[in-house]
Amino acid sequence: PSMFFAIVSLASNIRITKLIYLKDTIAESLAPNGCRLIVPIPGTNNVGIELVKEKPLPPSFNSLMVKESTHNDLKCLMGITPDGNPLSTDLEKIGHLLIGGQQSSGKSSALNTILLSLVCLHYPCDVKLVLFDLKGATFASYEDIAKPFLVSFADNLCYANSTSSAEQLLSGLETDLLTRKNLFSKATVGTLKEYNSRYLAGDLNPADGHQFLPRLIVAIDELSDIADIPNNLSILSNFLSEGAKYGIHVIAATRYRIRRTILSEEMKKAFQGKISFRQETSIDSKTLLEVPDATNLFSVGDGLFVDSTSSTLSRFSSPMIDTDLKKLIFQFVSSQPSFGEAYKLNVTNTTTSNKPVNAPTDSS
């Protein structure tokens, strides 16, 4: 939507190696304001040429949603591929998602796109958002859907907007993970889907502490902001290593190079899905994606997605999410029938279970 893409077949007497040496010169001559040559397109003898439109427009969020209607998996949407199709991933498959890129490259919009797609594609009883936004700029408007989609914790806060509230929320998540482990052990199940199926079938007694467990999406707008919170590395490590099994998935964004003081190598490997927007250096790109390609991206909203479970690399354009779009979606969500009380995180001990949220019924 924001660029033209052409595939050129070379004559038999033209060597691709010659274009490789000349591609920077060719790109500069074609479009000084934005052009990229793919020499060659992997697995072919063709050359790809991307030219930025004179007035590039990001794709709309509606164009992503128009082809999507599934509620069965944990699908989330990220953007539009060069061929015009929505790019999506399944958080149940990749476990956790890491987003990187230089400042003002589109990370926050990508994070909002993913969260809004989860809100639009899934029922509140299935998905709850756990938000960390210490600068208070990205997630403040999500208070409008606090009851159906956000968790609540100490003093009924619905998202962490300071170091102290972030510490409380991490503590609540740690307790919730332990609670889920205990419930799985008592139910002798290995996955969240199996546990909830047995609960809905009436095999698990609420009097024994069992309840319908939503999947928790832990969204962190700037990973480095929580680096100074006591024990944050050990808590995050627990979420990343075993949280997905119990229905806790982390989506984290950062504009800084991933250092061991923020994520250890083992923690970074737990992110089976990675998104990179434009990076300043090939080192920054390789640190995140293990390839230098992110230095060739255009300025805003132009991204690469890597799915480590299938070793695929996909190019996409991310929508620019504005306040009006959020307001429209949140007004619609808030007008729907209530799904009971908000999901409450226990920040004091591991023995008291959460108050059950409404599970889906045949009528819903």
Side-chain angles (χ1 to χ4, degrees):
S2 60
M3 63 191 73
F4 297 103
F5 184 76
I7 298 176
V8 179
S9 298
L10 300 179
S12 58
N13 62 335
I14 297 179
R15 294 185 177 182
I16 283 183
T17 53
K18 185 175 182 180
L19 286 180
I20 292 175
Y21 291 121
L22 295 176
K23 68 177 184 178
D24 289 340
T25 303
I26 295 172
E28 184 178 352
S29 301
L30 284 174
N33 292 327
C35 172
R36 188 170 83 110
L37 269 68
I38 306 173
V39 185
I41 296 175
T44 73
N45 197 41
N46 300 327
V47 175
I49 303 174
E50 288 180 326
L51 296 171
V52 177
K53 292 182 179 180
E54 185 177 352
K55 295 181 179 180
L57 293 174
S60 68
F61 184 76
N62 289 342
S63 65
L64 291 179
M65 295 300 302
V66 68
K67 297 181 181 180
E68 300 294 339
S69 60
T70 180
H71 298 273
N72 297 325
D73 52 18
L74 198 51
K75 178 179 287 187
C76 60
L77 303 173
M78 296 173 286
I80 295 288
T81 60
D83 59 5
N85 292 317
L87 178 65
S88 65
T89 190
D90 182 1
L91 288 175
E92 285 189 348
K93 176 183 175 184
I94 64 172
H96 312 287
L97 180 61
L98 183 61
I99 305 173
Q102 66 186 34
Q103 189 171 4
S104 302
S105 59
K107 299 183 299 299
S108 293
S109 282
L111 194 53
N112 276 303
T113 298
I114 292 168
L115 296 181
L116 289 178
S117 69
L118 288 167
V119 166
C120 292
L121 291 174
H122 302 282
Y123 296 115
C125 56
D126 287 330
V127 170
K128 299 293 181 183
L129 307 182
V130 186
L131 307 179
F132 291 83
D133 180 17
L134 272 62
K135 291 184 174 62
T138 303
F139 298 143
S141 59
Y142 283 75
E143 290 185 5
D144 294 339
I145 55 169
K147 186 174 181 180
F149 273 106
L150 271 59
V151 301
S152 65
F153 56 109
D155 299 324
N156 292 320
L157 293 173
C158 59
Y159 77 100
N161 57 6
S162 66
T163 301
S164 60
S165 59
E167 185 175 354
Q168 289 177 307
L169 186 49
L170 281 173
S171 173
L173 281 171
E174 186 177 33
T175 298
D176 194 89
L177 177 58
L178 291 174
T179 300
R180 289 174 181 237
K181 286 182 179 181
N182 292 334
L183 293 176
F184 275 40
S185 177
K186 288 194 293 184
T188 62
V189 298
T191 66
L192 182 69
K193 186 174 292 185
E194 183 183 0
Y195 177 87
N196 282 337
S197 295
R198 289 196 58 192
Y199 180 82
L200 293 175
D203 296 336
L204 303 177
N205 190 346
D208 296 329
H210 292 294
Q211 59 183 292
F212 185 85
L213 296 174
R215 291 168 287 194
L216 302 182
I217 309 301
V218 182
I220 305 171
D221 185 40
E222 179 49 66
L223 193 57
S224 62
D225 285 347
I226 64 172
D228 295 331
I229 296 175
N231 300 320
N232 87 88
L233 284 181
S234 62
I235 295 174
L236 274 178
S237 180
N238 288 337
F239 296 155
L240 294 173
S241 63
E242 55 185 359
K245 173 183 177 180
Y246 299 100
I248 300 177
H249 303 270
V250 178
I251 305 174
T254 182
R255 69 171 185 260
Y256 300 105
R257 185 181 300 173
I258 305 299
R259 304 182 186 278
R260 292 188 178 182
T261 54
I262 299 177
L263 289 177
S264 67
E265 283 300 314
E266 288 301 317
M267 293 168 69
K268 192 170 73 170
K269 288 179 182 178
F271 288 97
Q272 294 293 297
K274 299 183 181 72
I275 292 175
S276 181
F277 294 97
R278 183 175 175 84
Q279 299 280 7
E280 288 286 353
T281 68
S282 59
I283 295 177
D284 293 330
S285 178
K286 288 180 179 179
T287 301
L288 182 62
L289 299 179
E290 299 181 359
V291 293
D293 301 49
T295 57
N296 296 324
L297 296 173
F298 298 120
S299 55
V300 180
D302 191 20
L304 289 170
F305 170 67
V306 173
D307 181 352
S308 300
T309 63
S310 59
S311 301
T312 58
L313 179 67
S314 304
R315 181 84 175 272
F316 71 98
S317 295
S318 176
M320 293 293 106
I321 305 298
D322 58 23
T323 304
D324 291 338
L325 176 62
K326 284 185 184 179
K327 184 176 180 180
L328 184 64
I329 293 174
F330 294 163
Q331 282 179 343
F332 174 77
V333 170
S334 300
S335 69
Q336 302 306 300
S338 173
F339 278 79
E341 295 186 13
Y343 186 80
K344 178 76 173 179
L345 288 179
N346 178 12
V347 297
T348 56
N349 60 71
T350 61
T351 57
T352 303
S353 63
N354 288 303
K355 186 173 183 178
V357 295
N358 285 356
T361 63
D362 292 339
S363 61
S364 64

